[in-house]
Amino acid sequence: MFLINRSSKTLKTLTFTCKDVAFDLSHSTQKRSYVDVYMKWKRDQFYESIEHIHRSAQLKSVIALKNCIAQDPNGCIPISSVSKRGREFDVPIKVAMFLRKFPAIFEEFTGPNYNLPWFRLTPEAAELDRKERGVYQNSVDGLRDRLKRLILMSKDKVLPLSIVHGMKWNLGLPDDFLQYPEINLDSSFRFVDLEDGSKGLGVKINGERVLSVLQRNARKRGLCSGELDEAVEFPLFPSKGVRLRRKIEDWLKEFQELPYVSPYDDYSNLDPSSDVAEKRVVGFLHELLCLFVEHSAERRKLLCLKKCFGLPQKFHKAFERHPHIFYLSLRNKTCTGILKEAYKDRSSVENHPVLAVRKEYIHLMKASEAILKSRRISNACRFEGSVEKDLDLEFDDGERNASRV
């Protein structure tokens, strides 16, 4: 069950400044009606069947192991070099068992010493690895822009390197992206020392205002001009069978008419309990998922962003309160938030350049399942054949013994 609880109250008038432009959020726009209802979660097969979302966690481990093999000078590794690194690769079972689950990607053979198992990439996987590296090289500008936008949404335009590293998979950045800043980063980036002694990555802007995906799409359609105090509406995509109660619909209509505070604009003077602040949180999540490869993310893995992006304690509840904007999937024993717009209006959200390659890896993962199934059937037939042969031999022996008697 999803709970929506909005207390009936009038919030104070808010005045805040962004880039020397001040505007007022009036008393009338801050008054909201009381909403207190439960919304039953409704499964939507369309979003539940998007394979590159629901296989993403497993694919991440596959690609991490693939990189380990591809980066070896010999192009192959003994199982001993990765068997104790399961946590590093986020593999929940023995690494050898995991590698054997994907024979279309990893080829096993006997090593030169002690008959230990070794692994190398199949020709198809090796070719796909070369293609993947080519995509990274050709998409440096786009990947840099996505990283820059993530940092510009942060409170101080600076993110700890730990957060950046944690978001690399979602942003589609290669593992070594930050190891070659002279190639992958431009002059607007800077490495800084943070107060806690850690390192951070910041971005300098030259006064130009950054527009969100929502603002750019609305401007293309002539629905807004990009000004600070405009009421930009979120595109809504109701799932089949999901009906909002009347008071929810009334609240949602008023919510859409509120001023839109872009995740790139100043929010320091917003009342965190106001609906305008909630619209800013929804706008942040919308923009964040637009930057990600799958336009989705495991909800629990976003909790580490609260401090850096000035988000409220329970900001993740916005996924539940806005089922026409986000879909929550409960597959794989986790909760994944999906941006509906990215899959219902393909022209509004740009596809990530790395997505096509990841889909090809998933194709090899599915091919591996077919190979393993074929092996199981073949082994079962061989076993049944051997049993029948043994029974025939026993029967023949019995006949011979009887004739002798």
Side-chain angles (χ1 to χ4, degrees):
M1 291 278 191
F2 291 162
L3 169 64
I4 295 187
N5 190 342
R6 309 294 293 180
S7 298
S8 177
K9 58 184 176 180
T10 302
L11 300 170
K12 61 183 179 180
T13 300
L14 302 176
T15 306
F16 60 99
T17 305
C18 181
K19 294 196 175 198
D20 300 326
V21 179
F23 61 93
D24 178 71
L25 300 178
S26 66
H27 174 91
S28 61
T29 61
Q30 292 300 295
K31 188 175 180 180
R32 288 293 160 260
S33 59
Y34 177 79
V35 179
D36 185 13
V37 298
Y38 285 94
M39 286 193 302
K40 188 176 181 180
W41 177 77
K42 181 73 174 180
R43 180 185 176 91
D44 191 322
Q45 188 58 34
F46 174 80
Y47 299 104
E48 296 289 341
S49 61
I50 302 176
E51 287 189 307
H52 61 263
I53 290 179
H54 302 295
R55 288 179 178 256
S56 180
Q58 193 178 53
L59 176 61
K60 182 179 179 181
S61 301
V62 168
I63 291 183
L65 285 163
K66 181 269 302 180
N67 290 338
C68 183
I69 296 174
Q71 291 166 6
D72 188 272
N74 299 317
C76 57
I77 59 172
I79 187 58
S80 58
S81 67
V82 291
S83 59
K84 302 293 180 64
R85 299 165 62 186
R87 181 172 296 182
E88 176 187 340
F89 297 119
D90 200 16
V91 175
I93 59 178
K94 290 184 177 181
V95 178
M97 292 176 60
F98 187 82
L99 290 168
R100 288 171 183 143
K101 287 180 65 176
F102 306 102
I105 301 174
F106 306 109
E107 181 180 344
E108 182 178 358
F109 64 100
T110 303
N113 299 320
Y114 309 110
N115 292 327
L116 289 175
W118 283 55
F119 290 89
R120 60 190 167 213
L121 299 181
T122 63
E124 295 81 6
E127 177 60 30
L128 189 51
D129 174 68
R130 286 189 288 270
K131 182 177 179 179
E132 181 185 14
R133 284 186 272 117
V135 170
Y136 283 136
Q137 291 174 0
N138 297 329
S139 306
V140 171
D141 293 341
L143 297 177
R144 182 192 303 128
D145 181 67
R146 289 173 187 269
L147 176 59
K148 184 180 296 185
R149 284 179 168 272
L150 178 69
I151 296 173
L152 287 176
M153 286 193 290
S154 64
K155 188 162 49 177
D156 302 314
K157 314 303 179 192
V158 174
L159 282 181
L161 287 182
S162 59
I163 296 292
V164 176
H165 285 297
M167 292 290 107
K168 282 192 301 184
W169 173 258
N170 299 92
L171 290 171
L173 305 179
D175 290 337
D176 59 354
F177 191 80
L178 296 181
Q179 294 178 17
Y180 304 98
E182 65 283 354
I183 299 175
N184 297 323
L185 304 180
D186 58 29
S187 59
S188 64
F189 289 89
R190 70 188 192 281
F191 289 95
V192 298
D193 295 320
L194 303 179
E195 293 179 355
D196 60 359
S198 61
K199 292 287 185 180
L201 184 63
V203 173
K204 296 181 292 185
I205 53 176
N206 299 320
E208 70 274 12
R209 184 159 177 253
V210 181
L211 297 181
S212 66
V213 172
L214 193 67
Q215 288 173 313
R216 283 182 285 168
N217 289 337
R219 176 182 280 187
K220 287 178 184 178
R221 296 164 184 164
L223 301 177
C224 83
S225 59
E227 297 298 328
L228 288 173
D229 56 349
E230 285 189 291
V232 184
E233 296 187 1
F234 293 97
L236 304 180
F237 301 91
S239 292
K240 186 177 180 181
V242 175
R243 293 184 179 180
L244 302 182
R245 296 189 182 182
R246 181 61 180 270
K247 49 187 174 180
I248 288 283
E249 290 181 345
D250 293 341
W251 173 77
L252 181 58
K253 182 178 179 182
E254 294 178 349
F255 180 83
Q256 291 279 56
E257 295 171 353
L258 289 173
Y260 170 77
V261 180
S262 167
Y264 302 106
D265 292 339
D266 180 41
Y267 60 88
S268 57
N269 290 325
L270 276 180
D271 186 329
S273 63
S274 68
D275 281 356
V276 177
E278 167 138 345
K279 190 165 184 177
R280 182 248 166 189
V281 171
V282 175
F284 166 80
L285 292 173
H286 183 281
E287 184 72 6
L288 185 70
L289 296 186
C290 283
L291 298 178
F292 286 175
V293 178
E294 289 97 6
H295 307 305
S296 66
E298 289 186 34
R299 194 170 65 167
R300 63 183 176 85
K301 292 189 176 180
L302 299 180
L303 299 179
C304 65
L305 304 180
K306 284 186 293 188
K307 181 179 178 181
C308 297
F309 294 92
L311 301 170
Q313 184 67 23
K314 296 184 178 180
F315 77 94
H316 58 281
K317 293 289 184 180
F319 284 114
E320 301 172 11
R321 286 195 289 265
H322 300 274
H324 289 354
I325 302 174
F326 308 107
Y327 176 77
L328 280 179
S329 172
L330 305 179
R331 280 187 61 177
N332 302 326
K333 299 180 181 180
T334 187
C335 189
T336 302
I338 303 171
L339 179 63
K340 287 187 169 184
E341 184 179 4
Y343 294 94
K344 289 296 187 178
D345 185 1
R346 301 294 179 91
S347 62
S348 63
V349 182
E350 180 184 5
N351 275 341
H352 198 289
V354 177
L355 179 59
V357 175
R358 289 191 182 177
K359 287 183 178 180
E360 292 190 51
Y361 278 114
I362 291 174
H363 178 73
L364 290 181
M365 291 168 67
K366 294 174 68 176
S368 297
E369 295 172 0
I371 293 172
L372 293 177
K373 183 178 180 180
S374 176
R375 287 178 182 176
R376 286 194 296 269
I377 294 174
S378 177
N379 290 337
C381 293
R382 191 180 303 115
F383 176 76
E384 290 175 1
S386 63
V387 169
E388 291 176 359
K389 184 177 180 181
D390 291 341
L391 290 174
D392 291 341
L393 288 174
E394 290 177 4
F395 181 75
D396 292 341
D397 291 342
E399 282 188 339
R400 293 192 192 99
N401 293 333
S403 62
R404 289 173 185 169
V405 174

